[in-house]
Amino acid sequence: MHRPEVTATLLLSCQDRKGLVAGVADFICRNGGNIVHADQHTDSEEGVFVQRVEWDMAEFGVPRHELRTAFQPIADSFGMTWSLHFSDDVARFAILVSKEAHCLYDLLARQRMGGLKAEIPIVISNHPDLEQVADSFGIQFCCLPMDPQAKADQEHRVLEKLEEHRIDLVILARYMQVLSAEFVDQYAGRMINIHHSFLPAFAGARPYRQAYQRGVKIIGATAHYVTAELDQGPIIAQDVIRVSHRDSEANLMHKGRDLEMVVLARAVDLHLDHRTVVYGNKTAVFD
Amino acid sequence: MHRPEVTATLLLSCQDRKGLVAGVADFICRNGGNIVHADQHTDSEEGVFVQRVEWDMAEFGVPRHELRTAFQPIADSFGMTWSLHFSDDVARFAILVSKEAHCLYDLLARQRMGGLKAEIPIVISNHPDLEQVADSFGIQFCCLPMDPQAKADQEHRVLEKLEEHRIDLVILARYMQVLSAEFVDQYAGRMINIHHSFLPAFAGARPYRQAYQRGVKIIGATAHYVTAELDQGPIIAQDVIRVSHRDSEANLMHKGRDLEMVVLARAVDLHLDHRTVVYGNKTAVFD
Amino acid sequence: MHRPEVTATLLLSCQDRKGLVAGVADFICRNGGNIVHADQHTDSEEGVFVQRVEWDMAEFGVPRHELRTAFQPIADSFGMTWSLHFSDDVARFAILVSKEAHCLYDLLARQRMGGLKAEIPIVISNHPDLEQVADSFGIQFCCLPMDPQAKADQEHRVLEKLEEHRIDLVILARYMQVLSAEFVDQYAGRMINIHHSFLPAFAGARPYRQAYQRGVKIIGATAHYVTAELDQGPIIAQDVIRVSHRDSEANLMHKGRDLEMVVLARAVDLHLDHRTVVYGNKTAVFD
Amino acid sequence: MHRPEVTATLLLSCQDRKGLVAGVADFICRNGGNIVHADQHTDSEEGVFVQRVEWDMAEFGVPRHELRTAFQPIADSFGMTWSLHFSDDVARFAILVSKEAHCLYDLLARQRMGGLKAEIPIVISNHPDLEQVADSFGIQFCCLPMDPQAKADQEHRVLEKLEEHRIDLVILARYMQVLSAEFVDQYAGRMINIHHSFLPAFAGARPYRQAYQRGVKIIGATAHYVTAELDQGPIIAQDVIRVSHRDSEANLMHKGRDLEMVVLARAVDLHLDHRTVVYGNKTAVFD
C-alpha cells in the first residue's frame, strides 16, 4: 500500500449537531479523497464537537489553492471554527529563552536531525548567555534585555522580530518572563510554554523548590498554550518522573530537565502535526 | 446536553478503500443518528482499515432488531468483517482460575460494585482452593481437576459448562493450563488471558523467576486475546512497574500482582465497551 | 544462604552528627547481629539524619525483650527519636470508610490472601452502605453516623472503638470526613489517608471534578500520614495514570479508583514493613 | 548545614559475613569521617553483599593519597572487590557512534551545560556522517570505517585511540557494531551501551521492527554494561513509553529516540556518580 505524499488536515470545532461527521466525510468522499486518519470528540458537558480529518491529496478533485473556498460553505452551515493544513507545510518558529540551555539544545538538535518539520530563523533571549548555543547551530541570536521600567518596549521589540521573521509558532523554552495579555493575544493558540511542574501543582515561581519542600514522590512537567493567565493555559502534554526523599532540590532540577525537554518537544510535535484543537480551556490531542 | 441512553457501536475491519468512512457515516446520518464517537485506523503496511463508530439510538430511523439487516448491504459492498453492539447489552462471563486469588477477588469486587457491565454466572478452576472466594461473592464455583492423562476430557467438561451458561467472554485469571487449539478456536476473540510479564519478554513459565535472574529494572504484565500459540495472541493492554536489585523474586511476585489485576481489568473493560478490534495478530484499541 | 526467620528493625531520626552510623553498626556487630538491610539519609538542609537498620535476631546476643533497654543509652547519647520492630509482629488495623467500596474490598482481599501482615478486627463507617462488604469477609462492621451537630461525639465513639480493639494503624480508605486535630494527634504517624489526586494539586473536595475542568493529561493518587491540616500530611506514596480529553469526569473516577487502591495498599505495605520514617513534614521511604 | 566539598565513595562487593557494615563504618568513624550516604544490599540467593559508602573528606584523618593503602587491610580481611572514588574526579569518556545523532547530541549538550562531570576528548565512528555534530561542539571526531574483512584491525585502531586519550568510560551511543570479546574484556564494567528495546524483549537487530510486528502497547530502552554476549550485560537503567496501534514503525523509532537518550544519560550519570556495582550479571544501583 502506498503512503500518501501530501495530505490535507482539517481541524475544526463547533456546537455539536447531527450530520457533522457525515457532512465532512461526504465532502471528502465526493471529491475523491481517501481519508487516512479521522478522529473526533464530543464534549457532552459543553456540547462541543471537535474533529481532525486527514486525507490524501493525490487524485483529490479540488486543487490545493481552492480547498479553503470549497470547504467554506460546509463550515458556515455548521458554524465551525476551523483550519486547514498540508503535510508539506513547513512551520517557522522562534524560540524564546533566558539562561537555561537544555530545551534550546534539544529543539535545535531535533530540527537539525530532521525530527521537526520546521525552520527556526531566530532565537530571542532577555539574556546574552545562550548566544553560543544558537551560534553553534548557525542560528541568529537576538538579545533583547528586559528593563523592568520598560517592559512594554521590550515586548514590542520581540513582537517586531517575530513579525519580521514571519513566525508561526513561538516556543517559550524556559523564558522566565511573564508576558502581557496584549502579547499573548497576538499568538493565541500559537505560543507554547514549558512549565517545570505537574500543573496545577506548583504554578508560579520556583516549582522545584516548592516540590522539594512538600516532599512529593513524583515531579512533572507541563507544556501548554499560553494564555493571559499565568500557567493556566490549555494543557497539551504532561509527564512525570519518580523522586524520593534522597533528592535534593538540585537533583529535582536535574531530573526535571529531562522531563522538560521531552514534554516540550512532544507538545511541539503534536502542534506541528496538527493534532491539537483548543476548545474552552482544554486541548483535544488526537494522537 | 443530554447523554444518550442507548448507543449502538459498530466495529469493523476490511481492506482499505476510498469511501469507507463516508459510506458508514452516511448510513448513520441519513437514518437520523447522531455519532457520539468515531475512531478509525488505517494500517498502511497491511492495507487494512479498522473502525469503531458509536451513535445515539434515540430517534434513530432503523429499529434495533432490524439494524443488522439494514447495514448488511454496506458491509457486503466493502467486504467488511463487522459486529454490532448495544450499550445496554450485558455480557456473561466465566472466570477460569487455578490457585492465585488476586485477579479473581478483583474482578468479582468490580462486578459487585457495578464497575463491569457483566454477569458472572460461574467460576471454573482445576483446583479446589478458591471455592471460598467465589462463595463469599455468592457465585457458583465449579472444580474440574486436570488429569494429565485426560486433558481433552477436562477441556470438554469446561466447554460444556461455558455453553450451559451461555458465556460470551472467558477470562483466564491466572489459569495455569495451556489450552488446546480446539478449545481456543471456539472462543477466538472472546477469551482474554493475563500473562505475568511484559510480553514478549519472559513468555512461558515462571516469568518472575526469569525477570529476577535477568536483573531487569522494570517488570510488566500483559493482557491478550488467547490464540493457539502460547503467549502470542494479540495484545490488548500492558503496564509496568519499577523494581530494583533489592527486590527478591517474592517481591517481584508481590509487586506484579497489582499490575496483573489492573491490566486484566483494563483489558476486560475495553472489551466490554467494544473498544477493541483484532486484525492480523494485533489489537486496535479505540480508547 | 539462609533467610532470617525473625529480624529486628530500628527506625531512627536525630540531628546529624559524626559517628552515628558507626555507633549503631557497632552495637549490632558486637552483639553478634548480621545486618540484612541498612539504609540512611541525611537531609543536609535540615541537618537531620534518618536511618533504617534491620538485622537477623538468630544468634543475636541481646534477647528480644531486653533490646529496647540495651539500645536506650546509644539513643540517648545521640538524642534519637526511634522505634524498634520485629518482623513477626502482627499489626492490628482499623479501616474507616464512607460509601466507596473499592479500597475496602482491596485491603480485605489482600489481608485474606496473606499479603498484609495484619489483623483487621473492625471496619468503621459513618454510613451503613458497606456493611455487606465487611460481612462477606467475616469482619465486624460498626456504623457510627455523623450528626453535624455532634461531630465531637461521633469522633469520641470512633476513638473508643479504636482503643477497644487496640488498633495500631488507622486506614482512611475514602472516609469522607475531616477529622479534628484532637483525633489526629492520637494517631500521629499511625493514620494513613488516600487522597484521590496528585497532591498538592486538587486538594480538598471533588478532585476529579477539578481535574476534569482543568483538562490535565495525567491524574494521580496520594497516600499520606494524616495531620491536622487537611491533605497536607507527609506523603508516603503517589502514582499517576494518563488520561485524555476523551475522559469524562466519570471516567476519571473510574480510572482513578485503580490508582487509589494500589497507592493506598503500597503505603500500608511500606508502613507495615517499617520502611517509613517521618521527619518534619516529609516521609523518608526506605524501599 | 554545610555540604561537603569533596567526598570519598567506596564501592565494594564480597561474600556476605557478619561485621561487614560495622567494619567499614568503624574505619570511617575512627578516622573522623562523617558518612553522608551509605547504602548496601545483601543478595540472599547468591550470598553476596554489596555496598556504597560516601563520606566527607574534610577533616578526615587519612590523606587522600594514602586512603587506598589504609583501607586495603580491611578489604583483604573480608575478601572484598572494591574501588575508591573522589567526588572531584573528572572522568574521561569516549563516545562511539554510527549514523544516528540523537544520543550524541544529547550527551555533548549535557557535558557542555555542566551536567556531566566528564571530559569528552574524542568521538569515534565507523561512518563519517556525524563529523559535523562533533565539530559544532569542538570535539575531535575520528572515523574508523569497518571493513568486514578486517574487523580485528578496526577494533585495534579504536583501542589505540581509547588508550591514547586515557579513556575511563566508553559509551556506545547507537554504535551499530558487535564488539569482540577481546575488546569488551578491556573495558569490562567501563563500557555502557544503549539498546533500543526493553530487554530482554527484542534483543538483536531492528527492535522497533520487532515491536511493531508484535503489536506491543509499550516500548522501551535499556542501558547496560557491555559483556561478550550481545545485549546480555548487566542492566543499569530502563524506561518505557506507551504506544498504540496507530504508531507506525517510523513513529516507534521517533518516540524511542527520546527514551534512548534519557535512559543512556541516566546510566552515564549513575556510573559517574559511582552509584553502580556490578555483581554476577546484575547491577546494584544505589540511587
Side-chain angles (χ1 to χ4, degrees):
Chain A
M1 162 142 188
H2 93 116
R3 277 171 192 283
E5 293 192 12
V6 179
T7 60
T9 297
L10 187 64
L11 298 177
L12 64 91
S13 65
C14 59
Q15 218 183 323
D16 191 26
R17 281 177 47 187
K18 279 189 192 177
L20 268 164
V21 176
V24 173
D26 177 66
F27 169 79
I28 297 164
C29 180
R30 85 180 122 79
N31 287 298
N34 193 34
I35 293 176
V36 293
H37 180 245
D39 202 349
Q40 61 164 85
H41 171 61
T42 306
D43 184 315
S44 52
E45 280 203 20
E46 306 286 336
V48 171
F49 173 87
V50 287
Q51 190 179 26
R52 180 188 194 273
V53 198
E54 181 178 0
W55 67 95
D56 192 349
M57 284 299 288
E59 302 176 41
F60 193 65
V62 184
R64 194 163 158 156
H65 64 281
E66 293 174 14
L67 196 42
R68 281 184 179 82
T69 312
F71 186 71
Q72 191 69 53
I74 294 167
D76 290 346
S77 71
F78 288 100
M80 294 174 180
T81 302
W82 64 290
S83 63
L84 183 71
H85 312 271
F86 296 99
S87 58
D88 57 359
D89 292 343
V90 176
R92 296 172 63 79
F93 59 73
I95 305 178
L96 272 60
V97 294
S98 291
K99 293 181 169 182
E100 294 255 24
H102 55 288
C103 288
L104 179 60
Y105 265 125
D106 185 63
L107 288 168
L108 296 181
R110 282 171 200 270
Q111 194 262 356
R112 187 60 43 91
M113 292 185 284
L116 293 176
K117 286 182 303 186
E119 287 172 12
I120 307 179
I122 191 163
V123 171
I124 301 173
S125 181
N126 55 332
H127 291 285
D129 308 48
L130 303 183
E131 179 157 14
Q132 276 201 326
V133 178
D135 280 359
S136 70
F137 285 85
I139 289 177
Q140 186 186 332
F141 181 86
C142 174
C143 182
L144 298 171
M146 179 62 75
D147 171 358
Q149 311 306 322
K151 192 173 156 66
D153 279 7
Q154 195 258 12
E155 284 198 355
H156 185 72
R157 283 197 299 274
V158 174
L159 279 174
E160 277 181 346
K161 283 289 172 193
L162 299 179
E163 278 154 31
E164 176 190 333
H165 290 280
R166 290 167 292 118
I167 296 302
D168 302 306
L169 179 67
V170 178
I171 301 176
L172 307 184
R174 300 296 309 273
Y175 183 63
M176 307 305 277
Q177 290 295 325
V178 178
L179 296 165
S180 69
E182 292 69 39
F183 190 114
V184 167
D185 283 350
Q186 301 223 22
Y187 286 87
R190 298 189 298 140
M191 179 153 51
I192 294 176
N193 181 50
I194 181 71
H195 183 75
H196 39 316
S197 85
F198 182 78
L199 288 175
F202 311 132
R206 302 189 68 191
Y208 293 122
R209 182 76 198 148
Q210 295 181 58
Y212 176 76
Q213 290 180 324
R214 182 62 187 91
V216 290
K217 300 304 185 190
I218 290 175
I219 58 169
T222 304
H224 61 93
Y225 287 111
V226 180
T227 57
E229 247 185 305
L230 184 66
D231 298 333
Q232 299 295 315
I235 294 171
I236 308 168
Q238 300 188 291
D239 209 347
V240 297
I241 191 171
R242 296 200 165 274
V243 297
S244 81
H245 61 275
R246 293 194 192 292
D247 288 298
S248 63
E249 186 186 349
N251 279 5
L252 298 188
M253 293 173 66
H254 185 73
K255 289 188 172 180
R257 276 188 203 108
D258 287 359
L259 277 183
E260 293 165 31
M261 66 192 208
V262 168
V263 171
L264 177 57
R266 201 177 298 159
V268 169
D269 251 359
L270 289 167
H271 181 93
L272 291 182
D273 277 353
H274 313 298
R275 296 189 173 277
T276 58
V277 179
V278 173
Y279 69 99
N281 199 42
K282 296 184 183 180
T283 311
V285 176
F286 295 114
D287 57 353
Chain B
M1 160 138 191
H2 91 118
R3 278 172 189 281
E5 291 190 11
V6 180
T7 60
T9 297
L10 188 64
L11 297 177
L12 63 91
S13 65
C14 60
Q15 217 182 325
D16 192 27
R17 280 176 48 186
K18 277 188 194 178
L20 267 163
V21 175
V24 173
D26 177 65
F27 168 79
I28 297 165
C29 180
R30 85 178 121 80
N31 287 298
N34 192 35
I35 292 176
V36 293
H37 181 245
D39 202 350
Q40 61 165 86
H41 172 62
T42 307
D43 184 316
S44 52
E45 281 204 19
E46 306 286 335
V48 171
F49 173 87
V50 286
Q51 191 178 26
R52 180 188 194 274
V53 198
E54 180 179 1
W55 68 93
D56 191 349
M57 284 298 288
E59 302 176 40
F60 193 64
V62 185
R64 194 162 159 158
H65 64 279
E66 291 174 13
L67 197 42
R68 282 185 177 81
T69 312
F71 186 71
Q72 190 68 54
I74 295 168
D76 289 346
S77 71
F78 288 100
M80 295 174 180
T81 303
W82 63 291
S83 63
L84 183 70
H85 312 271
F86 296 98
S87 58
D88 57 358
D89 291 344
V90 176
R92 296 172 62 79
F93 60 73
I95 305 177
L96 272 62
V97 294
S98 291
K99 293 180 169 182
E100 294 255 24
H102 54 289
C103 288
L104 179 60
Y105 264 124
D106 185 64
L107 289 168
L108 296 182
R110 283 172 200 270
Q111 195 262 354
R112 186 58 46 91
M113 291 185 285
L116 294 175
K117 286 182 303 185
E119 287 172 11
I120 308 178
I122 192 164
V123 172
I124 300 173
S125 181
N126 54 333
H127 291 285
D129 308 49
L130 302 183
E131 179 157 16
Q132 276 199 325
V133 178
D135 280 359
S136 70
F137 285 84
I139 290 176
Q140 185 185 332
F141 181 86
C142 175
C143 182
L144 298 171
M146 179 62 76
D147 170 359
Q149 312 304 323
K151 192 172 157 65
D153 278 8
Q154 195 258 10
E155 282 197 356
H156 185 69
R157 281 196 301 273
V158 173
L159 279 174
E160 276 181 346
K161 282 288 172 193
L162 299 179
E163 280 155 28
E164 176 190 333
H165 290 280
R166 289 165 295 117
I167 296 303
D168 302 305
L169 179 67
V170 178
I171 300 176
L172 307 184
R174 301 296 308 274
Y175 184 62
M176 307 305 278
Q177 290 295 325
V178 179
L179 295 165
S180 70
E182 291 71 37
F183 190 113
V184 167
D185 284 350
Q186 299 225 23
Y187 285 87
R190 299 189 297 140
M191 180 152 52
I192 295 175
N193 182 49
I194 181 71
H195 184 76
H196 39 316
S197 85
F198 182 79
L199 287 175
F202 311 131
R206 302 189 70 191
Y208 292 121
R209 181 78 199 147
Q210 296 181 57
Y212 176 78
Q213 290 180 324
R214 182 63 186 89
V216 290
K217 300 304 186 192
I218 290 175
I219 57 169
T222 305
H224 62 92
Y225 287 111
V226 180
T227 57
E229 246 185 305
L230 184 66
D231 299 332
Q232 299 296 316
I235 294 171
I236 308 167
Q238 299 189 291
D239 209 346
V240 298
I241 191 171
R242 296 201 165 275
V243 297
S244 82
H245 61 276
R246 293 194 192 292
D247 288 297
S248 63
E249 185 186 351
N251 279 4
L252 298 188
M253 293 173 67
H254 184 75
K255 288 188 172 181
R257 275 189 204 109
D258 287 358
L259 279 182
E260 293 165 32
M261 66 192 207
V262 168
V263 171
L264 177 57
R266 202 177 296 159
V268 169
D269 251 0
L270 290 166
H271 181 92
L272 292 183
D273 278 352
H274 313 298
R275 296 189 172 278
T276 59
V277 179
V278 173
Y279 68 100
N281 198 42
K282 296 184 183 181
T283 310
V285 176
F286 295 114
D287 58 353
Chain C
M1 158 137 191
H2 94 117
R3 277 171 192 282
E5 292 191 11
V6 180
T7 60
T9 297
L10 188 63
L11 299 177
L12 63 91
S13 65
C14 60
Q15 217 183 325
D16 192 26
R17 279 177 47 185
K18 278 189 193 176
L20 269 164
V21 175
V24 172
D26 177 65
F27 169 79
I28 297 165
C29 180
R30 87 179 120 80
N31 287 298
N34 193 35
I35 292 175
V36 293
H37 181 246
D39 203 349
Q40 61 165 86
H41 172 61
T42 306
D43 185 314
S44 52
E45 279 203 21
E46 305 286 336
V48 171
F49 173 86
V50 286
Q51 190 179 25
R52 180 189 194 274
V53 198
E54 180 178 1
W55 68 94
D56 191 348
M57 283 298 287
E59 302 176 40
F60 193 64
V62 184
R64 196 162 157 158
H65 63 282
E66 293 174 12
L67 197 43
R68 282 185 178 81
T69 311
F71 186 70
Q72 189 70 52
I74 296 167
D76 289 345
S77 70
F78 288 100
M80 294 173 179
T81 302
W82 63 290
S83 63
L84 183 71
H85 311 271
F86 296 98
S87 59
D88 57 359
D89 291 343
V90 176
R92 295 172 63 79
F93 59 73
I95 306 177
L96 271 62
V97 295
S98 291
K99 293 180 169 182
E100 295 255 24
H102 54 290
C103 289
L104 179 60
Y105 265 125
D106 185 63
L107 289 168
L108 296 182
R110 282 172 200 270
Q111 194 261 355
R112 187 58 46 90
M113 291 185 286
L116 293 175
K117 286 182 303 187
E119 287 172 12
I120 308 178
I122 192 164
V123 172
I124 300 173
S125 181
N126 55 332
H127 291 285
D129 308 49
L130 303 182
E131 179 157 14
Q132 277 200 326
V133 178
D135 281 359
S136 70
F137 285 84
I139 289 177
Q140 185 185 333
F141 181 87
C142 174
C143 182
L144 298 170
M146 180 61 76
D147 171 358
Q149 311 306 321
K151 192 173 156 66
D153 279 6
Q154 196 259 10
E155 284 198 355
H156 185 71
R157 282 197 299 273
V158 173
L159 279 175
E160 277 181 346
K161 282 290 173 192
L162 299 179
E163 279 153 29
E164 176 189 333
H165 291 280
R166 290 166 293 119
I167 295 304
D168 302 306
L169 179 67
V170 177
I171 300 175
L172 307 184
R174 301 296 309 275
Y175 183 63
M176 307 305 277
Q177 290 294 324
V178 179
L179 296 165
S180 69
E182 291 70 39
F183 190 115
V184 166
D185 284 350
Q186 301 225 21
Y187 286 87
R190 298 189 298 142
M191 180 153 51
I192 294 175
N193 181 50
I194 181 72
H195 183 76
H196 38 314
S197 86
F198 181 79
L199 287 175
F202 311 132
R206 302 189 69 190
Y208 293 122
R209 182 75 199 150
Q210 295 181 57
Y212 176 77
Q213 289 180 324
R214 182 62 187 91
V216 291
K217 300 304 186 191
I218 291 177
I219 57 168
T222 304
H224 61 93
Y225 287 110
V226 180
T227 56
E229 247 185 306
L230 185 65
D231 299 333
Q232 299 295 316
I235 294 171
I236 308 168
Q238 299 189 291
D239 209 347
V240 297
I241 191 170
R242 296 200 165 274
V243 297
S244 82
H245 60 276
R246 292 193 193 293
D247 288 298
S248 63
E249 186 186 349
N251 280 4
L252 297 188
M253 293 173 66
H254 185 73
K255 288 188 172 181
R257 276 188 204 109
D258 287 359
L259 278 182
E260 292 165 30
M261 66 191 207
V262 168
V263 170
L264 177 56
R266 201 176 297 160
V268 169
D269 251 359
L270 289 167
H271 180 93
L272 291 183
D273 279 352
H274 312 297
R275 295 189 173 278
T276 58
V277 179
V278 173
Y279 68 100
N281 199 42
K282 295 184 182 180
T283 310
V285 176
F286 296 114
D287 58 353
Chain D
M1 160 135 192
H2 92 118
R3 279 171 189 283
E5 292 191 12
V6 180
T7 59
T9 297
L10 187 65
L11 298 177
L12 63 90
S13 65
C14 59
Q15 216 182 325
D16 191 26
R17 280 176 48 185
K18 278 189 193 177
L20 269 163
V21 176
V24 173
D26 176 66
F27 169 79
I28 297 164
C29 180
R30 87 178 120 81
N31 287 298
N34 193 35
I35 293 176
V36 293
H37 180 245
D39 203 349
Q40 61 166 83
H41 172 61
T42 307
D43 185 314
S44 52
E45 280 203 20
E46 306 285 336
V48 171
F49 173 86
V50 287
Q51 190 178 25
R52 178 188 195 275
V53 197
E54 180 179 1
W55 68 93
D56 191 349
M57 283 299 286
E59 303 175 38
F60 193 65
V62 185
R64 194 162 158 159
H65 63 280
E66 292 173 13
L67 197 43
R68 281 184 179 81
T69 311
F71 186 71
Q72 191 70 53
I74 295 167
D76 290 346
S77 70
F78 288 99
M80 294 174 181
T81 303
W82 64 290
S83 62
L84 183 71
H85 312 271
F86 296 99
S87 59
D88 57 358
D89 292 344
V90 176
R92 295 173 63 79
F93 60 72
I95 305 177
L96 272 62
V97 295
S98 291
K99 293 180 169 183
E100 294 255 24
H102 54 288
C103 288
L104 179 60
Y105 265 124
D106 185 64
L107 289 169
L108 296 181
R110 283 172 200 269
Q111 195 262 353
R112 188 57 47 92
M113 291 184 284
L116 293 175
K117 287 181 302 185
E119 287 172 12
I120 308 178
I122 192 164
V123 171
I124 300 173
S125 181
N126 55 331
H127 291 286
D129 308 49
L130 302 183
E131 179 157 15
Q132 277 199 326
V133 178
D135 280 358
S136 70
F137 285 84
I139 289 177
Q140 185 185 331
F141 181 87
C142 174
C143 182
L144 298 170
M146 180 62 75
D147 172 358
Q149 312 305 322
K151 191 172 157 64
D153 279 6
Q154 195 258 10
E155 283 198 355
H156 185 71
R157 282 196 300 275
V158 174
L159 279 175
E160 277 181 346
K161 282 289 173 194
L162 299 179
E163 280 155 27
E164 176 190 334
H165 290 280
R166 291 168 293 118
I167 295 303
D168 302 305
L169 179 67
V170 179
I171 300 176
L172 307 184
R174 302 295 310 273
Y175 183 62
M176 307 306 278
Q177 291 294 325
V178 179
L179 295 165
S180 70
E182 292 70 38
F183 190 114
V184 167
D185 283 350
Q186 300 224 23
Y187 285 87
R190 299 188 298 141
M191 180 153 49
I192 294 175
N193 181 49
I194 181 72
H195 184 75
H196 39 316
S197 85
F198 183 77
L199 287 175
F202 312 132
R206 303 189 69 191
Y208 293 122
R209 182 76 199 146
Q210 296 180 58
Y212 176 77
Q213 290 179 325
R214 182 62 186 89
V216 289
K217 299 304 185 191
I218 290 176
I219 58 169
T222 305
H224 60 93
Y225 287 110
V226 179
T227 56
E229 245 184 307
L230 184 65
D231 298 334
Q232 299 295 316
I235 294 170
I236 307 167
Q238 300 189 290
D239 210 346
V240 297
I241 192 171
R242 296 200 165 274
V243 297
S244 82
H245 61 275
R246 294 194 190 291
D247 288 298
S248 63
E249 185 185 350
N251 280 5
L252 297 189
M253 293 173 66
H254 184 74
K255 289 188 172 181
R257 275 188 205 111
D258 287 358
L259 278 183
E260 293 165 31
M261 66 193 207
V262 169
V263 171
L264 177 57
R266 201 176 297 161
V268 170
D269 252 0
L270 290 167
H271 181 92
L272 292 182
D273 277 353
H274 313 298
R275 296 188 173 279
T276 58
V277 179
V278 172
Y279 68 100
N281 198 43
K282 296 185 183 180
T283 310
V285 176
F286 294 114
D287 58 353

